[in-house]
């Protein structure tokens, strides 16, 4: 029986073994890797695999961390509004958010950026509603004027 496995990306550290440190014959290699079956990876896609450093062995240990994915109990439907693209700061803020996230997993980045956009949209619509309310108040003040 063949099991399909995926190699886990190592986020921190390039080498897992070394020999003759401090000499001209110093050698460093990446001997150790992390692997996961597709079924494991589908259950735990948000991880960080890193090389730890030790002074008691020529092999460096690997540490597998899992990212906690928070889900909201409050259910809402996210809708992207094309009008946001007309806002001068929107595209730059989304680009900055995307660039600031570590390159761990595409789905993780998409979830984080979509949460950011949803928060941005709520702020935008709050400001938009306040602006509409203010403009209506201006119209109400002007509606009965008789001057040009």
């Amino acid at each position: 029986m063949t099991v399909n496995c995926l190699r886990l990306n190592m986020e921190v550290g390039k080498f897992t073994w070394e020999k003759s440190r401090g000499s001209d014959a110093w050698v460093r290699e990446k001997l150790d890797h992390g692997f996961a079956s597709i079924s494991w990876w589908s259950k735990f896609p948000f991880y960080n695999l890193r090389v730890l450093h030790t002074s008691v062995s020529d092999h460096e240990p690997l540490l597998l961390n899992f990212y906690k994915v928070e889900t909201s109990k409050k259910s809402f439907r996210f809708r992207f509004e094309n009008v946001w693209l007309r806002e001068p700061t929107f595209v730059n803020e989304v680009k900055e958010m995307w660039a600031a996230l570590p390159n761990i997993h595409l789905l993780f980045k998409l979830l984080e950026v979509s949460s950011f956009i949803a928060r941005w949209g709520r702020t935008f619509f709050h400001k938009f509603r306040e602006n509409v309310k203010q403009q209506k108040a201006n119209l109400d003040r002007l509606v009965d004027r008789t001057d040009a």
Side-chain angles (χ1 to χ4, degrees):
M1 182 173 119
T2 303
V3 177
N4 292 331
C5 287
L6 301 170
R7 184 183 299 197
L8 300 177
N9 289 331
M10 199 153 333
E11 297 297 323
V12 177
K14 294 181 181 178
F15 305 106
T16 61
W17 175 83
E18 66 181 0
K19 181 180 178 183
S20 304
R21 178 177 222 161
S23 73
D24 292 338
W26 185 25
V27 178
R28 297 170 82 189
E29 296 289 335
K30 184 176 186 177
L31 299 179
D32 303 302
H33 301 274
F35 291 91
S37 68
I38 292 172
S39 64
W40 180 93
W41 191 83
S42 66
K43 292 177 187 169
F44 307 105
F46 306 113
Y47 69 89
N48 172 282
L49 183 63
R50 60 185 304 137
V51 177
L52 299 179
H53 299 288
T54 181
S55 60
V56 296
S57 174
D58 56 356
H59 282 272
E60 306 284 15
L62 300 179
L63 177 65
L64 181 63
N65 284 315
F66 295 96
Y67 290 100
K68 185 177 181 185
V69 179
E70 306 243 352
T71 56
S72 173
K73 293 178 182 175
K74 186 176 170 182
S75 175
F76 71 95
R77 179 184 253 166
F78 173 75
R79 290 191 180 123
F80 183 85
E81 299 291 339
N82 285 332
V83 71
W84 297 346
L85 295 172
R86 293 184 188 154
E87 286 299 305
T89 62
F90 176 74
V91 173
N92 286 335
E93 288 182 37
V94 172
K95 282 181 183 178
E96 288 173 11
M97 176 68 178
W98 183 267
L101 291 169
N103 290 325
I104 46 173
H105 191 275
L106 179 61
L107 183 58
F108 174 77
K109 285 183 86 160
L110 289 172
L111 288 171
E112 288 296 311
V113 170
S114 65
S115 294
F116 171 78
I117 291 172
R119 286 190 306 274
W120 191 96
R122 285 191 295 274
T123 302
F124 174 82
F125 279 119
H126 177 71
K127 290 177 186 175
F128 187 78
R129 275 191 220 109
E130 290 300 315
N131 194 9
V132 167
K133 193 186 292 185
Q134 188 177 29
Q135 295 304 323
K136 283 182 178 180
N138 287 342
L139 281 174
D140 289 344
R141 268 197 330 272
L142 299 172
V143 74
D144 290 327
R145 291 186 62 166
T146 57
D147 60 330

